[in-house]
Amino acid sequence: MTQEAIFEVIDKDVCGRIGRIYTKHGKIETPAILPVVNPLKAIVRPNEIKSIGFDAIATNAYIVSRNVERLGGKRSIHETLGFNGPVMTDSGAYQLLTYGKVDVSPEEIIRFQEEVDSDIAVILDVPTGLTVDRDEALKSVEETLRRAKLCLSIRNNERGTLWVGPVQGGVHTDLVAYSSREISNLDYHIHALGSPVKLMEEYEYSTLVDMIVAAKTNMPLSRPLHLFGAGHPSMLALAVALGCDLFDTALYALFARSNRYVTPYWTFKLENLRELPCECPICSKISTRDLLEMPQEERERELALHNLYVLAREIKIIKQSISEGRLWELLENRCRSHPRLYLALRKLKDHEKLLEKCDPVTKGRLRGVFIYDDVSLSRPEVVRHRVRLLSRYKPPENRWLLLLPEPAKKPFHKDRWVKRLTNSLARCQAESRVHICFYTPSFGLVPIELDETHPLSQFESACGFVNGRGQIVGVLSEYLQSAPKSYDVVIIGAFNKLADLACDMKGACLKANRKVLLAYGSNYGELVRELLKLVKEIGQVDRTH
Amino acid sequence: MTQEAIFEVIDKDVCGRIGRIYTKHGKIETPAILPVVNPLKAIVRPNEIKSIGFDAIATNAYIVSRNVERLGGKRSIHETLGFNGPVMTDSGAYQLLTYGKVDVSPEEIIRFQEEVDSDIAVILDVPTGLTVDRDEALKSVEETLRRAKLCLSIRNNERGTLWVGPVQGGVHTDLVAYSSREISNLDYHIHALGSPVKLMEEYEYSTLVDMIVAAKTNMPLSRPLHLFGAGHPSMLALAVALGCDLFDTALYALFARSNRYVTPYWTFKLENLRELPCECPICSKISTRDLLEMPQEERERELALHNLYVLAREIKIIKQSISEGRLWELLENRCRSHPRLYLALRKLKDHEKLLEKCDPVTKGRLRGVFIYDDVSLSRPEVVRHRVRLLSRYKPPENRWLLLLPEPAKKPFHKDRWVKRLTNSLARCQAESRVHICFYTPSFGLVPIELDETHPLSQFESACGFVNGRGQIVGVLSEYLQSAPKSYDVVIIGAFNKLADLACDMKGACLKANRKVLLAYGSNYGELVRELLKLVKEIGQVDRTH
């Protein structure tokens, strides 16, 4: 099987993608959550899970292997679970992480997973956990790699099982990177990032971001990435945006056991709910009180079903967001469910260039982009403009660089005041000497020739000049480095209330050895009049030279 | 009827509340949306609307009055609509706003609403609309007031109709305030804010915030406030947090007509939806394609039902958030659905003192508060701490004021490094001379004696020292104004990386004529050691004086 026959990507946004994984028991559309089914006692049957909207399920091959008699003898995992779709089996590594040891050898569990006809199988890796001891972490990485090589030598490729090569390293991101590089050199179909469960329990999402990035950037994009043990619906959009394609979770059932009611952003304690804020088939027929008065087992089942509906809905919304190119906007919403998740969103600034590279330049339908505050300035469309402006755009050879604040109308050059200015410049034959750039809190600098490029006139921004000051001054400084030396005069047009910003911009120009002239106005009309006066004056000076 | 018999408030959060309005056809739990039913052609029947979770509906008495024959003769509005619950009737003012005139007199429509036994009736007010002409706006306010007085003189109080006195004034908030003051002096049961529809269509939510605040602050809290023609689920939490109790909307049906599919944050075009991201009874049985292939009328109905389910769910979530004291947190989430809504959220800073006053000091269950960034610093719990610290707290009479950065542990005084410091101070008998305050980006300043007061050790914050600098320096400056003059020495303990902040704090102290000593450390342990050295030194100097 070629990798293309196993996994195809059909849509992309940020580093997230909609894809299809082909297994011998059918197709899985990704991003996908595989609800974990306890083989000994499933509170929701696999076929019910499927009917809620999940293509595949996950179960634990180790538990199955230890309970073969009880489960009616050794049969295919599909027969054992009564489910004919794709089944992923884990190998006992979770038990290793939790209890420190398992009662099975790496070889044994590889063979067992093949024998029970698992669609997606995992080697018995050694989870790093959250240990801070680097040597110990490295040991778990090396041992996992050794076992991964062992698997290659004994697995039966004829069986059509998709093998998962886990990445370890824990919070040591250099080890995660090493682990990812090494394991992706081996012939695995899918990779997985281990050890995040504890991190997620402790809301350490920022660390998780760094771990996912370290793993993702060191493996080929053609292999799906699984995140073990995730997760809560509120963090799925973030993980998907970083490039995770698969998730397995028992949270729907574990939360149900402790009366926790999941929503896309918060988890509520059932006893605190006035009403059930959901219209899924469970919640639309019962009330909080009904649930509380049910026998424990029945309530657990109903809550588990509700939790599954919420997870299924979240995956649909994530896919819809990818297909509309607004996954970043979903992130901004979802990462407001907990301050630690918000810190993880802010962390994306550290990885903004990577996200920009992943993000497809052309998307199906062009939408305007929403910009809220400085966090939004890390979204790929914004970063891309900066990167391209500074690396690919060749500013025209003019004499003056004229910097104007972003006008009210988009595209900027069609604003009535800007038109008045450009017309007047044309009349006094100054046009060819002037290179006009708009400074904007959202994009830094926008040369007038580019202002119709998407999304430079298709955006809605709440980011004001105060929040965007760093962005503007930063881009201007870099721009002046690459701009022709012929721009020896920079004219800054600013509103009176933007004096601080104009001052910082002036500083950036002086540092780049340019002369600076400032013109102020209380509105665009006044500013344009001031600028025209200034242009006329320096035009006369110019001619006398 | 006393006002208490008409409206009772059972729970509060920010300026939002859960309440009950008692009408002659039953109770309405607020906040409530009253879906607008077209009396001539209801695409969803009133009883279906009720079964989705709405207590009451709204309809247009003007249209009914013009179509009495067609509607089977003059009967009660409940018979006409086939609905036995509370019905609110509007008077034709919307038609007046849209078409410029209506074919009915103010007296006629008052009598008509009584005759058809309306539960909640509205006088024929004159909507200001979005006119910028102040004189015209004032005219609409005065004419509305005149008609409101007319209604008082002719309405039949025996009928038990609840009368709505509309507030006009449009974008002229001083006129809104005047209108609200005047009309709430009259004997009305409910008030309503007119003219927001156009604003909402144009996403002018910031203006809407100012209008609602102007209306709300000038009427008694005992009267429910209705917002005409709202709204989209994404803006409901905001309107409720500002004190709106009732909404009427035809959006579920209007959006359905143009194939618009509502979610709590975004509206999607049906043809762009990959899958239906919802599990309501409609969406759980059909697909996007099914919907697109239906005859127009059937599709419209199904979409309208879905849209109603989403509105009902949003109201449940808002009520749940009120009852948990986290309505502000819901706002932060919902206002990320559009940058203009986010600007409206930022606008709440202008009204933070009002929101703090409305917000109940004690809530049912104490929760920790989530703080994301500087926007969260306008939430009532944060503002309240500042207000009370500066107006009610009496700092102890000491010699030194010691400012420490927020430590890792909460409550702050239980942090190991803080304990080590206070123990050492006690040993060298300096304790009684030192007043310790923590500076924190989230709350500004926290005196050590108060650090167990809710929520000063029950919060989760993503707001760093950079974002919170203004808050800290601002509170410190005010604190020093009210603090005893005996604090003639301020000792600032800071981390090396917070030098900028420490410098600003020093400036605030010097401005208040205090001596300042600075101590730095790269972590809390080092800082404490430095501080102890400093205290010892100045202690010796002290004794020699």
Side-chain angles (χ1 to χ4, degrees):
Chain A
M1 268 184 303
T2 62
Q3 187 64 24
E4 294 72 40
I6 292 162
F7 180 55
E8 60 171 346
V9 172
I10 54 182
D11 215 337
K12 292 194 287 183
D13 192 24
V14 198
C15 293
R17 53 226 191 146
I18 301 176
R20 294 191 193 108
I21 296 174
Y22 296 93
T23 77
K24 50 189 169 171
H25 284 83
K27 179 181 82 179
I28 305 172
E29 189 174 84
T30 63
I33 297 177
L34 284 62
V36 175
V37 172
N38 181 339
L40 302 176
K41 186 176 170 260
I43 62 167
V44 179
R45 288 190 310 277
N47 280 326
E48 290 177 293
I49 292 178
K50 186 173 172 61
S51 75
I52 291 173
F54 297 91
D55 289 337
I57 57 170
T59 195
N60 191 308
Y62 173 68
I63 295 177
V64 175
S65 75
R66 298 301 94 172
N67 294 277
V68 168
E69 291 315 305
R70 197 170 148 194
L71 289 167
K74 194 183 274 185
R75 301 179 291 169
S76 86
I77 193 74
H78 305 84
E79 277 178 274
T80 303
L81 298 176
F83 179 64
N84 204 27
V87 177
M88 173 176 184
T89 50
D90 197 0
S91 55
Y94 182 73
Q95 279 67 23
L96 198 58
L97 182 64
T98 315
Y99 307 112
K101 68 185 186 82
V102 281
D103 186 15
V104 72
S105 76
E107 294 86 346
E108 201 182 326
I109 200 71
I110 290 167
R111 297 224 175 81
F112 185 81
Q113 291 181 85
E114 285 187 337
E115 281 159 18
V116 298
D117 206 21
S118 175
D119 296 286
I120 301 177
V122 186
I123 65 163
L124 184 62
D125 56 329
V126 183
T128 309
L130 292 190
T131 177
V132 286
D133 185 318
R134 208 172 173 286
D135 290 341
E136 229 176 274
L138 181 59
K139 249 187 242 165
S140 70
V141 168
E142 296 293 6
E143 178 60 15
T144 297
L145 284 169
R146 197 190 64 77
R147 293 181 181 190
K149 285 170 193 157
L150 170 78
C151 174
L152 287 186
S153 68
I154 64 171
R155 80 184 193 200
N156 178 353
N157 287 327
E158 303 297 302
R159 293 214 65 116
T161 306
L162 303 183
W163 280 98
V164 176
V167 174
Q168 292 296 346
V171 298
H172 308 272
T173 48
D174 60 326
L175 295 184
V176 172
Y178 164 71
S179 172
S180 179
R181 249 187 333 266
E182 291 298 312
I183 202 146
S184 62
N185 280 333
L186 306 179
D187 182 23
Y188 278 85
H189 310 102
I190 296 171
H191 293 297
L193 179 62
S195 314
V197 179
K198 267 261 166 251
L199 280 180
M200 290 187 286
E201 281 172 8
E202 293 171 9
Y203 297 97
E204 289 296 338
Y205 295 111
S206 298
T207 311
L208 184 63
V209 165
D210 291 339
M211 283 169 64
I212 297 175
V213 168
K216 186 75 187 176
T217 46
N218 287 288
M219 65 177 60
L221 292 172
S222 58
R223 295 194 187 164
L225 176 59
H226 181 97
L227 188 63
F228 276 126
H232 193 279
S234 64
M235 60 76 68
L236 289 173
L238 178 66
V240 169
L242 290 169
C244 297
D245 304 290
L246 290 170
F247 306 90
D248 67 293
T249 183
L251 175 138
Y252 72 100
L254 297 174
F255 273 26
R257 199 175 299 155
S258 50
N259 282 352
R260 278 177 289 175
Y261 184 95
V262 171
T263 79
Y265 30 95
W266 296 327
T267 302
F268 293 101
K269 289 231 145 213
L270 181 60
E271 56 270 34
N272 295 336
L273 276 181
R274 304 177 80 250
E275 297 168 280
L276 301 175
C278 173
E279 274 70 41
C280 78
I282 304 304
C283 301
S284 57
K285 63 172 208 269
I286 50 174
S287 70
T288 310
R289 178 172 296 179
D290 293 340
L291 275 172
L292 286 170
E293 287 172 356
M294 275 176 188
Q296 161 74 16
E297 200 164 337
E298 200 180 327
R299 175 171 61 245
E300 214 177 298
R301 194 180 126 77
E302 299 281 351
L303 278 175
L305 283 166
H306 158 80
N307 290 345
L308 283 169
Y309 274 109
V310 172
L311 283 168
R313 190 207 302 162
E314 187 62 11
I315 288 291
K316 285 181 201 165
I317 289 171
I318 289 172
K319 287 185 198 160
Q320 180 65 32
S321 302
I322 292 175
S323 81
E324 298 211 349
R326 65 197 304 184
L327 181 57
W328 181 276
E329 285 160 26
L330 184 67
L331 278 196
E332 296 219 34
N333 181 287
R334 293 304 194 247
C335 291
R336 292 266 158 174
S337 64
H338 194 283
R340 300 279 190 93
L341 209 41
Y342 174 67
L343 283 175
L345 176 67
R346 295 196 77 101
K347 201 84 177 47
L348 298 191
K349 185 161 180 52
D350 296 350
H351 308 296
E352 60 181 21
K353 295 218 167 139
L354 164 76
L355 299 180
E356 189 277 315
K357 258 189 236 157
C358 271
D359 184 74
V361 175
T362 48
K363 297 181 189 180
R365 226 155 30 87
L366 286 186
R367 282 188 64 253
V369 303
F370 285 171
I371 294 169
Y372 293 97
D373 56 18
D374 54 326
V375 173
S376 310
L377 302 184
S378 294
R379 62 178 293 166
E381 297 88 342
V382 174
V383 173
R384 181 168 303 134
H385 168 69
R386 260 170 12 220
V387 167
R388 297 197 160 189
L389 178 74
L390 299 172
S391 66
R392 298 200 193 172
Y393 174 70
K394 208 181 143 3
E397 290 277 346
N398 289 330
R399 177 96 173 76
W400 307 331
L401 171 61
L402 173 52
L403 301 174
L404 294 179
E406 171 187 323
K409 201 179 162 177
K410 296 169 204 155
F412 300 151
H413 78 269
K414 289 198 174 154
D415 180 87
R416 55 190 280 242
W417 291 111
V418 174
K419 264 159 88 179
R420 190 163 300 186
L421 177 69
T422 49
N423 288 341
S424 302
L425 290 175
R427 269 200 304 277
C428 66
Q429 291 160 345
E431 203 187 18
S432 64
R433 315 192 203 183
V434 182
H435 169 46
I436 295 178
C437 276
F438 300 97
Y439 57 92
T440 115
S442 310
F443 293 98
L445 278 191
V446 174
I448 197 165
E449 300 88 345
L450 297 185
D451 73 353
E452 282 186 299
T453 315
H454 180 83
L456 303 176
S457 44
Q458 296 91 8
F459 68 94
E460 180 78 49
S461 176
C463 185
F465 280 102
V466 172
N467 255 323
R469 194 159 146 185
Q471 161 103 321
I472 292 170
V473 177
V475 175
L476 176 60
S477 302
E478 287 198 61
Y479 190 69
L480 287 175
Q481 273 172 31
S482 63
K485 286 283 168 231
S486 64
Y487 297 164
D488 56 0
V489 181
V490 183
I491 307 168
I492 301 174
F495 298 135
N496 299 336
K497 63 181 182 343
L498 294 181
D500 279 358
L501 172 62
C503 182
D504 284 2
M505 289 169 68
K506 185 176 170 178
C509 298
L510 293 176
K511 223 182 240 171
N513 287 319
R514 317 286 172 138
K515 268 178 271 174
V516 185
L517 295 169
L518 277 161
Y520 286 99
S522 64
N523 55 48
Y524 228 102
E526 253 183 44
L527 178 60
V528 164
R529 275 190 295 276
E530 287 302 311
L531 282 169
L532 284 171
K533 266 194 259 170
L534 202 61
V535 166
K536 222 169 159 187
E537 274 171 37
I538 57 171
Q540 279 162 355
V541 175
D542 255 24
R543 270 191 282 275
T544 59
H545 273 304
Chain B
M1 271 184 301
T2 62
Q3 187 64 22
E4 293 73 40
I6 292 162
F7 180 55
E8 60 171 346
V9 171
I10 55 182
D11 216 338
K12 293 194 288 185
D13 192 24
V14 199
C15 293
R17 52 225 191 149
I18 302 176
R20 294 192 193 107
I21 296 175
Y22 296 92
T23 77
K24 51 189 169 170
H25 284 83
K27 180 182 81 180
I28 305 172
E29 190 174 83
T30 64
I33 298 177
L34 284 62
V36 175
V37 173
N38 181 338
L40 302 176
K41 186 174 169 262
I43 62 167
V44 179
R45 287 191 312 275
N47 280 325
E48 290 177 293
I49 293 177
K50 186 173 172 61
S51 75
I52 291 173
F54 297 91
D55 289 336
I57 57 169
T59 195
N60 192 308
Y62 173 68
I63 296 177
V64 175
S65 76
R66 298 303 94 172
N67 294 275
V68 168
E69 291 315 306
R70 197 170 146 192
L71 290 167
K74 193 182 275 184
R75 300 179 292 168
S76 85
I77 193 73
H78 306 84
E79 278 178 88
T80 302
L81 298 176
F83 178 66
N84 203 27
V87 177
M88 174 177 183
T89 49
D90 197 1
S91 55
Y94 182 74
Q95 280 68 22
L96 197 58
L97 182 65
T98 315
Y99 307 111
K101 69 187 185 82
V102 280
D103 186 17
V104 71
S105 76
E107 294 85 346
E108 201 182 328
I109 200 71
I110 290 167
R111 296 223 175 81
F112 185 81
Q113 290 180 87
E114 285 187 337
E115 281 159 17
V116 300
D117 207 22
S118 174
D119 296 286
I120 301 177
V122 187
I123 65 163
L124 184 63
D125 56 329
V126 183
T128 310
L130 292 189
T131 177
V132 286
D133 186 318
R134 207 172 174 287
D135 290 342
E136 228 176 276
L138 180 59
K139 249 187 243 164
S140 70
V141 169
E142 295 292 8
E143 178 61 15
T144 297
L145 283 171
R146 196 189 65 77
R147 292 181 182 190
K149 285 170 194 158
L150 171 77
C151 173
L152 286 187
S153 68
I154 64 170
R155 80 185 193 199
N156 178 351
N157 286 327
E158 302 297 302
R159 294 213 65 118
T161 307
L162 302 183
W163 280 98
V164 176
V167 173
Q168 292 296 346
V171 298
H172 308 273
T173 48
D174 60 326
L175 295 184
V176 172
Y178 164 72
S179 171
S180 179
R181 249 186 335 263
E182 291 298 312
I183 202 143
S184 62
N185 280 332
L186 305 180
D187 182 22
Y188 279 85
H189 310 102
I190 295 171
H191 293 296
L193 179 61
S195 315
V197 178
K198 267 260 166 254
L199 280 179
M200 290 186 287
E201 282 172 8
E202 293 171 10
Y203 296 97
E204 289 296 339
Y205 296 111
S206 297
T207 311
L208 184 62
V209 165
D210 290 339
M211 283 168 63
I212 297 175
V213 169
K216 187 74 187 176
T217 47
N218 287 287
M219 64 176 62
L221 293 172
S222 59
R223 295 192 186 166
L225 177 59
H226 180 98
L227 189 63
F228 275 125
H232 193 279
S234 64
M235 60 76 68
L236 290 173
L238 178 66
V240 169
L242 290 169
C244 296
D245 304 289
L246 289 169
F247 305 89
D248 68 291
T249 184
L251 175 138
Y252 72 100
L254 296 174
F255 274 26
R257 198 175 300 158
S258 50
N259 282 353
R260 279 178 288 175
Y261 184 95
V262 171
T263 79
Y265 30 94
W266 296 327
T267 302
F268 293 101
K269 289 232 146 210
L270 181 61
E271 55 271 33
N272 295 335
L273 277 181
R274 304 176 81 251
E275 296 168 282
L276 301 175
C278 173
E279 275 69 41
C280 79
I282 304 305
C283 301
S284 56
K285 62 171 208 269
I286 51 175
S287 70
T288 309
R289 179 173 295 179
D290 293 340
L291 275 173
L292 286 170
E293 287 173 355
M294 276 177 189
Q296 160 75 15
E297 200 164 337
E298 200 181 327
R299 175 170 61 244
E300 213 176 298
R301 193 180 128 76
E302 299 280 354
L303 278 175
L305 284 166
H306 158 80
N307 291 345
L308 283 168
Y309 274 109
V310 172
L311 283 168
R313 190 207 302 162
E314 187 62 9
I315 288 290
K316 284 181 203 165
I317 290 171
I318 289 172
K319 286 185 199 160
Q320 181 64 31
S321 302
I322 292 175
S323 81
E324 298 211 347
R326 65 197 304 183
L327 182 57
W328 181 276
E329 286 160 25
L330 185 66
L331 278 195
E332 296 219 34
N333 181 287
R334 292 306 194 247
C335 292
R336 292 265 159 173
S337 63
H338 193 283
R340 300 279 189 92
L341 210 42
Y342 175 66
L343 282 176
L345 176 66
R346 295 197 76 101
K347 200 82 176 51
L348 298 191
K349 186 163 180 50
D350 296 351
H351 308 296
E352 61 181 20
K353 295 218 166 140
L354 165 75
L355 299 181
E356 189 276 316
K357 258 189 235 156
C358 271
D359 184 73
V361 174
T362 49
K363 296 180 189 181
R365 225 156 29 87
L366 286 185
R367 283 188 64 254
V369 303
F370 285 172
I371 294 170
Y372 293 98
D373 56 18
D374 54 326
V375 173
S376 310
L377 302 184
S378 295
R379 64 178 291 166
E381 296 88 342
V382 174
V383 173
R384 180 169 305 134
H385 168 69
R386 260 169 13 219
V387 167
R388 297 196 161 189
L389 178 73
L390 299 172
S391 67
R392 297 199 194 172
Y393 174 71
K394 207 177 146 2
E397 289 280 345
N398 289 331
R399 175 96 172 75
W400 307 331
L401 171 61
L402 173 52
L403 301 174
L404 294 178
E406 171 185 324
K409 202 180 161 178
K410 296 170 204 154
F412 300 150
H413 77 270
K414 290 197 174 153
D415 181 87
R416 55 189 279 240
W417 290 111
V418 174
K419 263 158 88 178
R420 189 163 301 185
L421 177 69
T422 49
N423 288 341
S424 302
L425 290 175
R427 268 199 305 277
C428 66
Q429 291 159 345
E431 203 186 18
S432 65
R433 314 192 205 182
V434 182
H435 169 45
I436 295 178
C437 275
F438 300 97
Y439 56 92
T440 115
S442 309
F443 294 98
L445 278 191
V446 175
I448 196 165
E449 300 88 346
L450 297 185
D451 73 353
E452 283 186 298
T453 314
H454 180 85
L456 303 176
S457 44
Q458 297 90 10
F459 68 95
E460 181 78 49
S461 176
C463 185
F465 280 101
V466 172
N467 255 323
R469 193 160 146 185
Q471 161 102 323
I472 292 169
V473 177
V475 175
L476 176 61
S477 301
E478 287 197 61
Y479 190 68
L480 287 175
Q481 274 173 29
S482 63
K485 285 283 168 233
S486 64
Y487 297 163
D488 56 0
V489 180
V490 183
I491 307 168
I492 300 174
F495 298 134
N496 300 336
K497 63 180 182 345
L498 294 180
D500 279 358
L501 172 62
C503 182
D504 284 0
M505 289 168 68
K506 184 176 170 178
C509 297
L510 294 176
K511 224 182 238 172
N513 287 319
R514 317 287 170 138
K515 268 177 270 174
V516 184
L517 295 168
L518 277 160
Y520 286 99
S522 64
N523 55 48
Y524 228 101
E526 254 183 45
L527 178 59
V528 164
R529 275 191 295 276
E530 288 301 313
L531 282 169
L532 284 172
K533 266 194 260 169
L534 202 61
V535 166
K536 222 169 158 188
E537 274 172 37
I538 56 170
Q540 279 163 353
V541 175
D542 254 23
R543 269 190 282 274
T544 61
H545 274 307

